[in-house]
Amino acid sequence: MQRNRCGRALAPSLLIAAALMVLLVGCGGDSSAPSAGAPTTVITASGADSPDTAALYSDRCASCHGADGEGGGGPALLGKNDATLIEKQIAEGVGLMPGYGDKLSAPEITALAEYVAALE
């Protein structure tokens, strides 16, 4: 076993680093079923139904932010009701959260922002 200059084994440090990487890579993971508590249809600002928004949230957001926005590996989203700010954060990223501007379409980002803003 390799030791650092203080004589301690490096294995615990490597395990912690590996666990953090798994947590970060898992954000935005692929969850196949929408959550039971999430609405199945969201009315967007344009008035159009967006039936895939709950599934999109479940697939892209729930692994870090919780099935109902209650938080988990990432912060809670409850009470975040500024859809414009949320839309910017989804597109560009914030803190440890990566941006999804190159992975989601503008309508998907807008629908997700409105969905998150409506969480209570």
Side-chain angles (χ1 to χ4, degrees):
M1 182 178 291
Q2 192 175 14
R3 300 198 177 267
N4 66 16
R5 63 185 176 153
C6 295
R8 294 188 189 124
L10 292 176
S13 297
L14 293 174
L15 286 173
I16 292 170
L20 287 172
M21 288 300 294
V22 168
L23 178 65
L24 291 175
V25 170
C27 240
D30 184 23
S31 175
S32 59
S35 65
T40 56
T41 302
V42 173
I43 305 298
T44 63
S46 65
D49 284 348
S50 181
D52 297 323
T53 307
L56 187 60
Y57 177 88
S58 180
D59 290 344
R60 299 291 184 140
C61 311
S63 63
C64 291
H65 296 289
D68 298 314
E70 71 278 5
L77 301 175
L78 303 174
K80 311 285 186 199
N81 55 9
D82 183 346
T84 304
L85 176 61
I86 296 167
E87 189 170 348
K88 181 177 189 229
Q89 292 173 334
I90 293 169
E92 297 174 10
V94 62
L96 294 176
M97 182 182 132
Y100 287 87
D102 61 343
K103 297 173 185 73
L104 300 173
S105 68
E108 287 174 319
I109 291 172
T110 299
L112 274 174
E114 291 174 356
Y115 180 89
V116 169
L119 293 173
E120 294 182 5

